[in-house]
Each structure stands twice: as C-alpha cells, then as structure tokens.
Amino acid sequence: MIYITGDIHREQDIHKINPREFEAGNTLTENDYVIICGDFGCVWDGGDGDRFWLNWLESLPWNTLFIDGNHENFDVLKQYPVVEYKGGKAREIRSNIFHLLRGEVYTIDGATFFTFGGAYSHDIQYRTEHVNWWKDELPTYYEVKNALHNLEAHDWKVDYVLSHDVYESHPFSKRYEVSLSPYGEGYVDIHSFLETIKKKLCYKEWFCGHYHGDFIYEQKHRCITLFNRVVLLDQLEDFLVDFETI
C-alpha cells in the first residue's frame, strides 16, 4: 500500500505519521510506503536532532519516501549517497528512508511516479543562506534537463506526479510574490517548469504540499494539495470527500 501526505517539518508536524495518530501505520509492513510531498525536515542539523528522528523513522515497519521542499538543509542532504532505487536515482538516508530526487521516475508497488521537489520560500528576507535557507530550493538547469530526459524515456506517461510547489496556472502559484533575483544564474522558475510538464505529461493525479492545507484544484486533471491528511492511494476517493475545492 502507498500512503501520501504533505509537509512534516520534523517535530512540528511529524505526529500525523505517528502510528498513535496514523492508525493504519500499525498494520503496515516492509512492503508498504509513506510518501511525503516535501518539507521533510528530518535531515536538518546533521547531528543529534537528525539522528533522533531518523532512528525513530527507521524503526517503523514501512518505507518512508520524500521529495524535498524549500525547508530542507540541502548542504546536509547532499552528503547522503545516491543509489539506484525503484527504476530511478534516490538518496539513501537509512535502510527504509529515501529521498526521491528531482526529475526521476520510479515504479513503486506497480505505479509510476514522476517526482520534482523544491519550492519558493516567500520569507527569504527573514532567513540566512546556509543556515535556514538554500538557493537549491529551486531547480537547476541540470535538474530540468534530467527531468525532460527521463520523461522522454517514459513516453511522457506516468501514473502520478509528486511535487512540493505547484504549476503556474494553479491559483496557489500567485499566493505569494516571488522572484528569481535572490537565486542568481543557473536556477529555474519552478512554477513555469511545472506548467510545461503539466501541459505535456499524461498522468492520473498530481499531489503536492507546501500550502499547509488539504485542497483539490481541477482543470483537466486534479491537483491534490496535502497537509493534514495522510491518504491511501488505492482508496483515494474515500479520503477526498471533505477536501476543500478551490
């Protein structure tokens, strides 16, 4: 089984995947997955805080997978090894914890997932580079090229898309005023790139995080924003009945 949720921000919101609250977690096994749509946050200080939370996650029976958000320590994250995983490349954080990289396509429990983490931080002015903010929260030209290459190899067809931020035509992309100016050369507007993907890619559902709520936005296909809920992919409609439609 595959469960998907939004940001956990380490100790701030990780309670939602604690089996004491996430009751389904009590019956999951090593063959099951919980996927987090960015702002994982459990790789943050490179020290005791990380070890505590990663030890706890590793003790759980399922596999924890995550894409990166904008609130990640990319300096520490990049220290973990890149391995082959489920048909793509991923960073192995622990034996059952993997960082799903930008632009990769994975086959998990029989379904294909295109992953593209990253997002704009709208509070850059209150953050310090390499302390609590990193330019790498936005994609590079290399990551965009890798994504296009992998999608071409899959004939532009996947089952699901996992991102942290949203595409340009989504109403949330205009929620905050953002600019590429703090990032410098080599970085790409993630809203624009995801819009390019959306227009060409054949997919069933798009999942994202970042906006701290549970919402459905529907154009040709749905985009499901997750935060409070942990949804079961195989029974998705049952979990969406009280989501807010925007």
Side-chain angles (χ1 to χ4, degrees), residues 5-206:
T5 190
D7 323 17
I8 62 171
H9 304 115
R10 201 156 92 170
E11 64 270 13
Q12 294 182 43
D13 298 296
I14 203 169
H15 61 89
K16 62 192 168 195
I17 61 168
N18 186 322
R20 287 181 295 183
E21 182 173 326
F22 173 47
E23 293 183 3
N26 292 296
T27 60
L28 298 186
T29 72
E30 62 184 8
N31 297 315
D32 300 313
Y33 304 85
V34 174
I35 304 177
I36 298 152
C37 290
D39 282 3
F40 177 63
C42 294
V43 177
W44 184 259
D45 57 25
D48 290 344
D50 286 3
R51 280 190 290 275
F52 175 85
W53 288 108
L54 293 175
N55 285 345
W56 179 74
L57 282 169
E58 190 177 30
S59 75
L60 299 173
W62 64 77
N63 299 280
T64 299
L65 313 179
F66 68 96
I67 61 172
D68 51 88
N70 54 305
H71 293 152
E72 317 285 0
N73 186 329
F74 290 94
D75 291 338
V76 177
L77 200 54
K78 289 179 180 179
Q79 295 175 19
Y80 285 89
V82 175
V83 299
E84 297 291 329
Y85 183 75
K86 305 291 185 183
K89 295 185 183 300
R91 283 195 168 87
E92 184 174 6
I93 310 301
R94 290 292 180 87
S95 61
N96 60 349
I97 307 171
F98 291 85
H99 171 209
L100 305 180
L101 300 178
R102 296 175 188 171
E104 296 294 311
V105 177
Y106 305 93
T107 301
I108 304 170
D109 202 20
T112 51
F113 294 80
F114 170 71
T115 60
F116 207 85
Y120 283 102
S121 288
H122 63 275
D123 55 354
I124 290 176
Q125 66 270 29
Y126 304 112
R127 297 181 177 274
T128 302
E129 188 170 6
H130 297 293
V131 176
N132 55 11
W133 178 74
W134 289 262
K135 292 180 180 179
D136 291 334
E137 68 184 21
L138 285 194
T140 63
Y141 285 106
Y142 171 81
E143 290 169 328
V144 165
K145 183 178 180 180
N146 179 60
L148 296 175
H149 171 79
N150 288 330
L151 288 175
E152 190 70 34
H154 285 81
D155 297 322
W156 287 87
K157 294 179 182 178
V158 297
D159 292 312
Y160 304 102
V161 177
L162 303 175
S163 67
H164 186 57
D165 212 333
V166 294
Y167 43 82
E168 195 169 43
S169 60
H170 193 295
F172 286 167
S173 72
K174 309 298 190 296
R175 176 174 282 192
Y176 306 110
E177 186 175 342
V178 294
S179 169
L180 277 172
S181 60
Y183 300 88
E185 295 183 1
Y187 292 91
V188 177
D189 176 8
I190 193 167
H191 294 155
S192 177
F193 176 65
L194 292 177
E195 183 71 23
T196 299
I197 296 301
K198 175 186 174 295
K199 288 179 177 178
K200 188 171 182 179
L201 185 63
C202 178
Y203 63 93
K204 297 177 182 177
E205 306 279 1
W206 188 308

Side-chain angles (χ1 to χ4, degrees), residues 211-230:
Y211 293 95
H212 291 198
D214 302 311
F215 306 100
I216 299 172
Y217 176 65
E218 189 162 0
Q219 288 180 313
K220 183 178 179 182
H221 298 287
R222 291 187 300 195
C223 181
I224 300 165
T225 303
L226 296 168
F227 181 61
N228 297 299
R229 314 298 177 81
V230 185

